[in-house]
Amino acid sequence: MSNEAVQPYQRIVQDVRDKIRSGRWTAGTKLPSTRELADEYGVAPGTVQRALTELRTAGLVYSHQGRGSFVTETASDTTEDSTTRTLKRLEEQVADLSTRLEKIEKERSD
């Protein structure tokens, strides 16, 4: 997917995921404020709110009214599990496609 196809809120979500995955942000780390993130990414505060909603839904952050958003205790596990599941799904798809290709090639050679 090219950068042009990525929505601004998705870019923020991916950036936060990357910071958690790399260990730059660990459990309990307070995220910058909505306004700070909006300034950093050059987007409207509503865009940041949408990204935070996605991150909360994914279990990567939690928010406290008036205090901010924080990385969850299980965030690094969640990103690793998600990556592992994605890789496993891709491996299964490649194996399936390889089997189909072999079948097609065998049929053509018969």
Side-chain angles (χ1 to χ4, degrees):
M1 182 181 332
S2 69
N3 285 341
E4 295 81 34
V6 177
Q7 295 293 318
Y9 81 93
Q10 292 170 322
R11 190 167 39 104
I12 298 168
V13 169
Q14 190 56 53
D15 237 18
V16 171
R17 283 182 186 273
D18 291 345
K19 288 176 181 175
I20 293 169
R21 189 177 295 121
S22 71
R24 285 178 53 204
W25 287 358
T26 58
T29 299
K30 184 176 190 281
L31 276 63
S33 70
T34 299
R35 179 149 319 277
E36 290 170 330
L37 288 170
D39 290 344
E40 178 180 340
Y41 290 96
V43 297
T47 302
V48 173
Q49 287 298 329
R50 183 169 180 190
L52 290 173
T53 298
E54 292 279 327
L55 291 164
R56 280 192 297 272
T57 300
L60 299 175
V61 301
Y62 64 95
S63 299
H64 284 290
Q65 183 71 29
R67 289 184 48 212
S69 296
F70 302 84
V71 176
T72 63
E73 293 292 324
T74 58
S76 60
D77 296 339
T78 303
T79 57
E80 289 173 14
D81 289 345
S82 175
T83 302
T84 301
R85 282 192 305 269
T86 300
L87 287 174
K88 185 172 176 81
R89 200 167 42 246
L90 287 171
E91 287 171 351
E92 290 169 355
Q93 289 174 345
V94 168
D96 181 52
L97 290 171
S98 294
T99 302
R100 289 179 183 193
L101 180 59
E102 287 172 11
K103 183 178 178 184
I104 291 169
E105 288 175 344
K106 184 179 181 204
E107 288 173 357
R108 285 189 178 168
S109 67
D110 288 342

